[in-house]
Amino acid sequence: VFEKRIDTRFDKAFLVLVGSELYGDTLAIARNVSTGGILVEMSYAPPLGTVVTVHFQTPREGDLVDEIVARAEVKHHHYLNFGADENAASTRAVGMRFIEFVDAGESVDPDRLH
């Protein structure tokens, strides 16, 4: 199968905070990260074309979190069904294209994430 992706993918699951002025902040699971974009499992799917802020968080000493922040555009919606019989499950994922990386400006208080 021919691979159409131009960027190498880093397939590791980790938490990110996805923020939107219209939809608020939500914790999500980031997967399949590259320099061009990211696949994020989320409880909702912002409309295609929505620009969100993705906060990649790294614990540091104390209760605060250092972060890398990217602005990204929602490009794809994915609805994944898996399992069999009564063990069937599903999840929603959003494909996003990075627009720019921005200065985090300040640390995020962990209480914001609960």
Side-chain angles (χ1 to χ4, degrees):
V1 174
F2 178 70
E3 180 64 55
K4 294 181 182 180
R5 296 177 176 155
I6 58 174
D7 298 313
T8 302
R9 302 288 174 178
F10 175 69
D11 192 15
K12 176 77 173 156
F14 52 95
L15 287 176
V16 293
L17 180 71
V18 177
S20 165
E21 289 182 19
L22 187 57
Y23 300 100
D25 294 339
T26 189
L27 282 175
I29 299 172
R31 298 183 181 276
N32 214 355
V33 181
S34 76
T35 57
I38 188 170
L39 181 71
V40 180
E41 290 181 22
M42 299 179 64
S43 59
Y44 72 97
L48 296 176
T50 301
V51 175
V52 298
T53 305
V54 181
H55 301 259
F56 297 85
Q57 302 169 341
T58 308
R60 74 169 173 171
E61 200 172 312
D63 292 332
L64 300 176
V65 177
D66 286 330
E67 59 183 10
I68 297 169
V69 180
R71 306 259 310 139
E73 179 184 3
V74 175
K75 298 297 281 183
H76 305 281
H77 290 163
H78 303 278
Y79 298 93
L80 311 169
N81 296 310
F82 52 93
D85 302 325
E86 64 272 351
N87 295 324
S90 64
T91 189
R92 178 177 293 132
V94 179
M96 300 179 189
R97 179 183 57 85
F98 292 135
I99 298 169
E100 66 178 337
F101 286 86
V102 297
D103 183 10
E106 63 184 40
S107 297
V108 174
D109 185 328
D111 290 337
R112 176 179 167 195
L113 307 179
H114 299 292

